Amino acid sequence: MKDVVAGSTGASGLLGQIDELFGDDLVRVEQIFAEELKSWHPFVNDVLGHMTRFRGKRLRPILLLLSAKACGAVTHDHLVLSAVVEMIHTATLVHDDVLDDAEIRRHVATINSRWNNETSVLLGDYLFTHAFHLASGLESTLACRLIGHSTNLVCEGELAQIHERGNQDLTEAQYLEIIEGKTAELCAVCCQLGAHFADAGEATTAAMREYGRCLGIAFQIADDLLDVLGNEGETGKSLGSDLKKQKLTLPLIRLLDQSSPEDATEIRRLLADPTEPNRDKLQKFVAGSDAIEYAFAQANEFAQTARQQLAELPDSVSKRLLEEITEFATQRSW
């Protein structure tokens, strides 16, 4: 690979450099993924085939492989674990689409809209069970324990978010606690596994875990902003689901916190009845506040904190690509 920095190439250039560095490894990860999930039943294979159309850029396997390479070298265990974390992440997406009544993801019909909620729930379960079956084949049981613990935290975060639906008094600290579980934890364990199975020391492994945690928080804040601001035709996913489900995200928390008592009362009324006309009215309040700028600033701060963790690593192409990912963490279109 050419020893280049991704800085001026944009998000597509960054992904191209990652593919250049890990193309063969990512192909093998996909093979492991497919081999583990293949079924004797045609319908199951049909559903799995449809699912592969909206799986995205494989961020979590990429984080695991980059962490491994930056700390030493990629091994077969890393390839297996990359397939494992991709299964778990995909399972959460499939279940999220049910929870959010989402109809599209990456311009493709979700499993629940293409078939039904029962198929989605069972497919998510199928992915979870296969992930742990695959991880259990490694000589070390550490990966299973770490991934199991992280998956528990992901589910706790999702349950907490469901519990807090409609809670218009949700604080920023509570919001961050929720997204640290439901999104950041899996990114954190990917980087931790990459470092550990590359024989990195404890300090480096801890730094890589913190990198993944902060990066995941930045990504989720940006995703929540996308739900408020994004164009569905451009993003390829159902938007506005947070408002419909009365999930209070960072922009709205900031909006309520900074509004006058009179405006706050009206905003709470609109949030409690998220019809399309009321969402349009709410957008006017958002546009007249610093809620969007504040949330972007918070996302960028977490991205910067993630980047600082990489000081533990020696200079390498992989390290610089990890740095570049933090630059694009708040640009969720990639």
Side-chain angles (χ1 to χ4, degrees):
M1 171 176 173
K2 299 183 295 294
D3 190 10
V4 295
V5 181
S8 62
T9 59
S12 60
L14 171 61
L15 291 170
Q17 291 185 65
I18 290 170
D19 186 67
E20 188 177 348
L21 184 61
F22 293 111
D24 291 343
D25 289 334
L26 288 170
V27 168
R28 183 58 187 139
V29 169
E30 287 299 306
Q31 291 172 341
I32 294 170
F33 186 98
E35 288 167 5
E36 173 63 31
L37 293 179
K38 66 182 178 182
S39 171
W40 60 271
H41 199 289
F43 175 68
V44 177
N45 284 325
D46 188 23
V47 174
L48 290 169
H50 182 81
M51 176 197 73
T52 62
R53 298 172 59 196
F54 61 68
R55 281 179 45 221
K57 298 296 191 295
R58 319 304 197 255
L59 173 65
R60 286 144 193 87
I62 285 171
L63 287 176
L64 198 153
L65 295 174
L66 276 172
S67 298
K69 188 77 170 175
C71 293
V74 174
T75 67
H76 178 70
D77 284 356
H78 287 119
L79 302 181
V80 171
L81 291 171
S82 294
V84 168
V85 296
E86 181 67 2
M87 287 177 195
I88 290 172
H89 173 61
T90 306
T92 66
L93 296 183
V94 171
H95 283 170
D96 280 351
D97 288 339
V98 174
L99 296 174
D100 295 337
D101 295 323
E103 296 183 356
I104 59 170
R105 181 176 289 279
R106 294 193 175 274
H107 305 283
V108 176
T110 57
I111 300 296
N112 47 296
S113 65
R114 171 67 177 80
W115 285 280
N116 49 52
N117 286 347
E118 292 89 340
T119 300
S120 293
V121 170
L122 290 170
L123 175 62
D125 293 346
Y126 185 84
L127 288 160
F128 276 128
T129 56
H130 273 278
F132 285 102
H133 176 262
L134 182 58
S136 70
L138 297 181
E139 184 175 344
S140 170
T141 61
L142 177 65
C144 256
R145 295 199 304 273
L146 290 176
I147 293 170
H149 177 66
S150 292
T151 305
N152 288 340
L153 295 178
V154 170
C155 293
E156 284 180 0
E158 292 284 5
L159 285 167
Q161 184 171 69
I162 290 172
H163 175 70
E164 297 296 351
R165 283 180 182 173
N167 177 10
Q168 297 182 357
D169 295 316
L170 189 74
T171 66
E172 183 174 330
Q174 289 173 312
Y175 163 81
L176 290 173
E177 186 176 63
I178 288 170
I179 67 173
E180 183 170 354
K182 82 183 194 77
T183 300
E185 177 58 33
L186 193 54
C187 293
V189 81
C190 286
C191 298
Q192 180 182 6
L193 290 168
H196 176 83
F197 281 86
D199 295 325
E202 289 185 11
T204 299
T205 300
M208 291 308 302
R209 177 178 171 80
E210 181 65 5
Y211 166 89
R213 186 188 76 85
C214 292
L215 183 73
I217 293 174
F219 265 104
Q220 186 59 57
I221 294 174
D223 203 56
D224 290 342
L225 277 163
L226 192 66
D227 195 78
V228 175
L229 296 173
N231 181 300
E232 193 166 295
E234 294 178 359
T235 62
K237 61 182 288 187
S238 298
L239 299 176
S241 61
D242 290 340
L243 289 173
K244 293 175 187 176
K245 293 293 183 178
Q246 299 188 47
K247 298 178 188 176
L248 213 63
T249 56
L250 187 56
L252 299 177
I253 292 170
R254 175 68 175 183
L255 176 63
L256 283 169
D257 186 57
Q258 297 297 306
S259 295
S260 67
E262 295 79 10
D263 284 350
T265 297
E266 176 63 9
I267 291 166
R268 290 177 187 275
R269 185 188 71 79
L270 297 173
L271 288 171
D273 184 24
T275 61
E276 187 168 345
N278 282 352
R279 292 200 300 272
D280 291 340
K281 293 177 184 177
L282 186 62
Q283 287 286 358
K284 295 179 181 179
F285 282 104
V286 172
S289 73
D290 73 341
I292 300 302
E293 292 80 4
Y294 178 82
F296 267 122
Q298 293 301 102
N300 286 325
E301 186 173 328
F302 276 104
Q304 181 179 2
T305 301
R307 189 159 55 251
Q308 291 167 351
Q309 307 308 309
L310 301 176
E312 287 281 340
L313 301 177
D315 186 42
S316 68
V317 173
S318 296
K319 175 182 177 178
R320 280 175 274 163
L321 290 173
L322 286 167
E323 290 172 340
E324 286 298 319
I325 287 176
T326 68
E327 297 289 341
F328 293 104
T330 57
Q331 299 180 25
R332 296 295 280 112
S333 60
W334 76 287

